[in-house]
Amino acid sequence: MNFKSCKRIHETFSLDAKFEPFLTITADAKTRAIITNPLEKGYIYASLFFYDEVIREMQKLDKMIRKIMDEIRMEIHYEDPSKILMELSARVRRAIGDDSLDAFIKEILAEESRAISLLPTDSEVTKFLTVKEAIYTELFDAFVNMTFRNASDQGEFKSFKFTDEYIGNLTDRQKKLISPALRMAGFISQIRLDEFVVTPDWTVRYKPVSLREKFDAKEEEIKSSLKKLMEQHYNDA
């Protein structure tokens, strides 16, 4: 699982009123392919959960860029998009230490202008994707540390409690998907969560069982099945 695959699933699959995942076949959404395989459903749920994790971090970067952009306009009163771009890029580069957000900066500036100078280069797009993948990896590792590696031992069980701050920062979708996201993160980390429960106060308790075989092969099987489903139905639509 990576950000690219999470984004693809976010763009392709939807959740119905009961949060069952489905693939929309026709534009009016009346024709659907329902996902019934438990592991495939769990993979979709986890992908959506971690997609939202990355997007929340991207929103923080978006806020930083817009703040710097407002400061530039108050100080210099540039009107030319290319000049705003140059100054904005320079200041953001100083703030984060590199130019990896130039594609994002152009995306934000393009909301106001369609200037050719605001079209991102292939190199800028690649750098920005690398940033998002790095954010995904960092967030996934932090999630695994919090939920598995740093959980308290209670005999054969492990337990931990999500903080109010962590839960408060989640999207509404994430709050509904946190249990399957936990299970799938466990599989990816070579752990099956037996007797798994999440209480109303967001305390999690489970019995960790090491997987006998690497989950990598099963993950590839899941991804291949979902890809075939997409190809089949989009070709038939």
Side-chain angles (χ1 to χ4, degrees):
M1 184 180 290
N2 54 29
F3 178 73
K4 185 177 179 181
S5 62
C6 291
K7 182 174 183 289
R8 176 66 170 152
I9 284 177
H10 166 78
E11 292 171 344
T12 306
F13 292 91
S14 302
L15 302 174
D16 65 18
K18 295 181 179 180
F19 263 64
E20 291 295 322
F22 66 89
L23 180 68
T24 299
I25 309 303
T26 56
D28 59 8
K30 291 181 179 179
T31 306
R32 301 174 173 182
I34 306 298
I35 312 304
T36 57
N37 180 283
L39 276 178
E40 291 177 7
K41 288 172 65 173
Y43 198 81
I44 291 170
Y45 289 145
S47 295
L48 296 177
F49 180 91
F50 287 108
Y51 174 83
D52 284 1
E53 282 282 272
V54 174
I55 294 306
R56 287 195 295 111
E57 290 302 308
M58 295 307 302
Q59 288 169 345
K60 294 177 184 177
L61 292 174
D62 180 284
K63 186 175 180 180
M64 177 197 74
I65 291 171
R66 291 179 191 276
K67 182 175 182 293
I68 294 174
M69 184 167 65
D70 288 343
E71 291 171 354
I72 290 171
R73 284 182 165 144
M74 288 181 66
E75 294 170 13
I76 310 175
H77 303 292
Y78 283 145
E79 293 297 334
D80 184 346
S82 62
K83 290 184 178 180
I84 297 175
L85 171 63
M86 289 177 61
E87 183 65 25
L88 184 52
S89 176
R91 295 195 188 190
V92 171
R93 190 181 305 121
R94 288 197 293 271
I96 67 170
D98 57 48
D99 62 354
S100 56
L101 295 184
D102 278 358
F104 196 23
I105 291 169
K106 288 182 176 181
E107 183 181 311
I108 292 172
L109 286 173
E111 294 173 4
E112 304 174 359
S113 171
R114 295 183 179 274
I116 284 237
S117 60
L118 300 181
L119 293 175
T121 65
D122 290 343
S123 173
E124 289 168 344
V125 170
T126 299
K127 286 181 181 179
F128 188 38
L129 178 58
T130 300
V131 168
K132 288 183 279 192
E133 291 292 0
I135 290 173
Y136 163 84
T137 299
E138 182 179 344
L139 292 174
F140 185 87
D141 287 348
F143 187 81
V144 168
N145 282 333
M146 173 176 60
T147 56
F148 305 136
R149 297 178 186 140
N150 298 332
S152 301
D153 290 321
Q154 297 180 345
E156 59 183 345
F157 287 87
K158 280 185 172 286
S159 178
F160 68 91
K161 185 180 185 299
F162 286 111
T163 65
D164 292 341
E165 180 182 9
Y166 181 83
I167 295 299
N169 286 329
L170 296 179
T171 64
D172 289 341
R173 180 167 78 169
Q174 283 183 296
K175 290 174 185 176
K176 293 181 182 294
L177 299 180
I178 199 164
S179 290
L182 270 164
R183 286 185 177 278
M184 187 54 61
F187 282 134
I188 293 172
S189 304
Q190 294 301 118
I191 303 169
R192 188 178 75 241
L193 311 184
D194 284 359
E195 299 182 46
F196 171 82
V197 63
V198 181
T199 63
D201 72 343
W202 297 102
T203 295
V204 178
R205 189 170 184 266
Y206 60 89
K207 184 191 294 185
V209 178
S210 297
L211 299 182
R212 293 180 180 178
E213 299 179 359
K214 283 279 190 181
F215 188 69
D216 298 15
K218 179 60 71 174
E219 181 176 3
E220 288 305 311
E221 185 181 313
I222 292 168
K223 290 164 66 175
S224 177
S225 177
L226 293 176
K227 183 178 179 181
K228 286 179 182 177
L229 180 71
M230 288 185 275
E231 291 174 347
Q232 172 194 338
H233 287 289
Y234 286 152
N235 288 337
D236 291 346

